[in-house]
Amino acid sequence: MAPKENTQWYDLYHEVVDTGLCTGCTACIVACPFHVLGYEDYRPVQLQEDGIDQCAHGDKGCSLCTLACPRFREWEGEIDQQLFGATRSPEQVIGFYKDIVLARAASPEVLAHGQDGGAVSALLIWGLEHGEIDGVCTSKLSDGREWDCEPAVVTDAEGVLAAAGSRYTYSANPLAMLKAAEMGLSKLALVGMGCQASAPGSMAARRVNKWAKKVNWTLGLLCSKSFTYEGLMVEIAQKELGLSLDDIVRVNIKGKLLFYTKDGEELTYGLKKSHVYTRPGCLHCPDFAAEHADISFGGLGQGEGWTLTIIRTDKGQDLWDRAVADGVVEWRPGSDDQGAIDLMHKLAVKSRERWRMDTPWSTPGVVPVSEEAPAGAGTA
Ligand SMILES: Cc1cc2nc3c(=O)[nH]c(=O)nc-3n(C[C@H](O)[C@H](O)[C@H](O)COP(=O)(O)OP(=O)(O)OC[C@H]3O[C@@H](n4cnc5c(N)ncnc54)[C@H](O)[C@@H]3O)c2cc1C
């Protein structure tokens, strides 16, 4: 349900952007029909010259940026209602789900390209080849900066495989929806971390239909943070570990930062020490488990080469069942790796504690509601 009063950029700026709750997902920029929002330092900026919190279109009644935002006011409950027909209880720290499995691509080529089990890429290729989707909004390695990444649209298996694997800097994948629309694509898969995977849900819940209707699948990535490029690739990789960027073949996070080189070397760096390089937009994000995706995927498994897969929506269950029946992915029950599921819960609780305690609206379940909070707060 849309916020009751007519909200606009002024409200979005003061309640989300300026308070540090903005993750930089770019849903507002995609939804803006007047193209007056730009993107700088992972934040939306008003391009008009009237003042950073002013929007002439907002003053005339346009509210699409605020409606699209997956962090605006009672976002979590509104999206839960839209996708699952209910709001979660405080105990549901990883959100609603139907099943948890360990999955991997059946194709050795896809498995080799994937970050964990290649399950995301396997489903994307299957979806493109069977006409379930006509394009994928995801990220690719950046053309400009080595080991950085940027939003991209891919439409075939080759593109999916070139984009596979994880980069731990931020790519605002929803922004690729603008390019996809220019390309005439209208049955998209959106891949992204929780901040991004909630965007189709907020758009649908608040009737930003033009964009909500373009996304057929939302595939989420578990995520506790991303890093600034300067922090991860310059300070840690190059200065502290002495790596040359063109020697790195893979970066991963498994309790610590792991850098793999062409020579087969593995260099590690402590996660605690890396905290200072966290991208500011991640600091207050409460969503570890990509809780509004159709299916969410993570690398928490104790064994290499499998993707921890959380099937959430009816649509997610349906596409998963059909992909399994077609032999695209192999799976084992999640209970084979209870340690991974327990860790996911632990990390989800930790992330939920990051939601700003002094924010009187949109209070995710485990955060206590302040007595001073206005009526209606804390219903998420
Ligand atoms: C920034 C980040 C943080 C993560 N943190 C965790 C974590 O803490 N715990 C955990 O269990 N899992 C985490 N993951 C998820 C994990 O790394 C894998 O993406 C997931 O297990 C799926 O593996 P796969 O082999 O099935 O995916 P693949 O088949 O390799 O597909 C991965 C997809 O992710 C897209 N992608 C890669 N990098 C980015 C990026 N920076 N931004 C947006 N999209 C991207 C690719 O384009 C591709 O479409 C994180 C992922 C990212 C990108």
Side-chain angles (χ1 to χ4, degrees):
M1 195 175 61
K4 286 182 192 68
E5 79 268 34
N6 193 21
T7 50
Q8 54 131 320
W9 167 252
Y10 180 90
D11 306 285
L12 184 62
Y13 178 79
H14 285 286
E15 295 180 25
V16 177
V17 181
D18 200 35
T19 53
L21 300 181
C22 175
T23 60
C25 79
T26 67
C28 57
I29 298 171
V30 172
C32 174
F34 301 104
H35 311 295
V36 293
L37 295 179
Y39 195 50
E40 281 173 20
D41 281 337
Y42 307 111
R43 280 158 57 112
V45 291
Q46 167 59 259
L47 299 171
Q48 290 177 330
E49 286 171 10
D50 310 339
I52 49 172
D53 59 358
Q54 302 295 310
C55 177
H57 306 285
D59 291 344
K60 287 185 200 140
C62 181
S63 57
L64 288 167
C65 58
T66 52
L67 298 180
C69 174
R71 289 293 180 270
F72 189 68
R73 299 202 182 170
E74 302 290 345
W75 59 277
E76 187 177 83
E78 288 169 15
I79 305 171
D80 277 351
Q81 276 290 347
Q82 173 71 26
L83 297 177
F84 308 105
T87 46
R88 71 184 78 179
S89 67
E91 292 75 36
Q92 289 174 288
V93 291
I94 62 160
F96 290 92
Y97 63 92
K98 293 177 180 298
D99 202 1
I100 301 179
V101 298
L102 298 160
R104 70 179 177 196
S107 148
E109 189 191 14
V110 180
L111 183 58
H113 278 78
Q115 181 72 4
D116 293 303
V120 172
S121 297
L123 291 177
L124 293 174
I125 293 170
W126 175 78
L128 287 168
E129 290 179 346
H130 287 74
E132 305 248 338
I133 50 175
D134 59 6
V136 182
C137 295
T138 188
S139 100
K140 67 175 180 70
L141 278 166
S142 181
D143 292 332
R145 273 200 303 197
E146 220 172 348
W147 272 103
D148 203 358
C149 57
E150 61 193 34
V153 181
V154 297
T155 55
D156 56 19
E158 201 185 329
V160 170
L161 290 182
S166 296
R167 278 72 58 182
Y168 294 98
T169 53
Y170 196 75
S171 166
N173 293 355
L175 204 55
M177 290 167 69
L178 292 173
K179 170 96 184 296
E182 273 170 35
M183 293 164 73
L185 305 173
S186 59
K187 258 198 316 184
L188 299 169
L190 174 69
V191 179
M193 294 79 83
C195 54
Q196 307 173 358
S198 288
S202 54
M203 289 170 166
R206 304 193 193 118
R207 309 286 174 258
V208 186
N209 287 333
K210 173 180 167 187
W211 294 102
K213 284 186 175 158
K214 288 188 197 290
V215 182
N216 197 25
W217 294 358
T218 305
L219 304 188
L221 307 174
L222 272 53
C223 176
S224 54
K225 61 167 76 172
S226 64
F227 296 92
T228 62
Y229 181 83
E230 285 68 23
L232 186 65
M233 302 317 298
V234 179
E235 293 298 326
I236 296 177
Q238 296 183 80
K239 292 193 186 160
E240 301 222 26
L241 298 177
L243 285 163
S244 159
L245 293 187
D246 51 14
D247 272 344
I248 299 172
V249 288
R250 188 183 171 90
V251 182
N252 208 342
I253 302 181
K254 297 263 182 202
K256 53 195 166 198
L257 276 167
L258 300 155
F259 295 85
Y260 299 94
T261 68
K262 280 179 187 157
D263 302 337
E265 235 188 313
E266 177 191 287
L267 287 94
T268 63
Y269 192 86
L271 269 184
K272 241 188 197 153
K273 274 198 293 179
S274 69
H275 184 69
V276 290
Y277 302 119
T278 302
R279 191 184 66 97
C282 301
L283 290 172
H284 298 295
C285 178
D287 182 353
F288 172 74
E291 292 150 17
H292 293 132
D294 291 314
I295 310 181
S296 317
F297 304 86
L300 290 175
Q302 312 293 301
E304 281 287 312
W306 291 86
T307 308
L308 185 70
T309 302
I310 302 99
I311 302 163
R312 298 185 179 281
T313 62
D314 291 341
K315 184 186 278 184
Q317 184 74 64
D318 174 57
L319 80 90
W320 174 258
D321 291 344
R322 287 182 298 110
V324 168
D326 271 4
V328 173
V329 278
E330 299 169 349
W331 68 278
R332 298 191 281 137
S335 55
D336 277 7
D337 193 347
Q338 190 56 42
I341 296 175
D342 293 346
L343 183 56
M344 173 168 58
H345 275 86
K346 203 170 139 197
L347 294 172
V349 169
K350 233 174 148 188
S351 287
R352 294 177 77 73
E353 287 164 358
R354 304 192 296 205
W355 188 251
R356 281 185 59 151
M357 301 292 282
D358 56 346
T359 303
W361 45 79
S362 187
T363 315
V366 295
V367 181
V369 179
S370 144
E371 288 190 2
E372 283 84 48
T379 52

